[in-house]
Amino acid sequence: MKTQPDAAVLNWVDAQLETDLFLCAISKAEIEWGIGQLVDGKRKQQLQQAASAVFALFAERCLTYDCTTASHYAMIALQTQQSGRPMSVEDMMLAAIARTHHALLVTRNIKDFIGLSDMPLFNPWDHSKE
């Protein structure tokens, strides 16, 4: 959450239907964890306020990790282990949630998901696609 968000990301978000955009509970946890690690002060407070505002926008569109997702997670964990491209637990959870919902996974870290050949990925920060 930057003071001046990336224009390419804003343009991509603006081009989407609001009802087509979702937040993963895993991403929410990572954001809250990252902010929580900061030293108390103005920056931390500003980030908490910005995050709260974003989370409020997605209150009814926050995708969770459930039993169906757990099965997808197991398949992804096996696939990445067998391919020799292990992923972090959080990334496997994000991928499993996306797979459960047949969703495009939008991330800046495409390289972390490359081992999942059947996972639709998009990086709105990648200006080379413009």
Side-chain angles (χ1 to χ4, degrees):
M1 286 173 224
K2 297 185 175 193
T3 308
Q4 295 292 35
D6 188 285
V9 175
L10 290 178
N11 290 337
W12 182 82
V13 169
D14 287 344
Q16 310 309 305
L17 292 174
E18 183 177 319
T19 55
D20 288 344
L21 298 173
F22 293 84
L23 174 70
C24 281
I26 308 307
S27 298
K28 183 178 187 284
E30 289 181 314
I31 292 165
E32 290 176 335
W33 178 73
I35 293 170
Q37 291 184 81
L38 297 174
V39 176
D40 287 340
K42 185 177 180 179
R43 180 169 182 260
K44 182 175 183 175
Q45 183 180 7
Q46 289 172 332
L47 286 171
Q48 286 172 325
Q49 290 172 347
S52 292
V54 170
F55 298 152
L57 294 172
F58 288 95
E60 301 300 320
R61 292 175 288 122
C62 186
L63 303 177
T64 61
Y65 188 94
D66 60 17
C67 286
T68 301
T69 304
S71 294
H72 287 292
Y73 175 93
M75 290 186 292
I76 289 167
L78 288 168
Q79 178 184 352
T80 59
Q81 181 183 37
Q82 291 167 355
S83 71
R85 289 192 55 97
M87 295 171 63
S88 71
V89 170
E90 294 85 0
D91 284 348
M92 288 190 291
M93 291 173 82
L94 290 169
I97 291 169
R99 188 172 283 172
T100 297
H101 295 279
H102 308 284
L104 173 68
L105 198 155
V106 178
T107 179
R108 174 179 249 158
N109 300 314
I110 295 285
K111 66 176 178 48
D112 294 344
F113 298 90
I114 291 294
L116 304 175
S117 58
D118 61 340
M119 177 64 56
L121 302 167
F122 180 68
N123 178 358
W125 287 267
D126 186 354
H127 299 275
S128 67
K129 303 270 193 276
E130 297 178 324

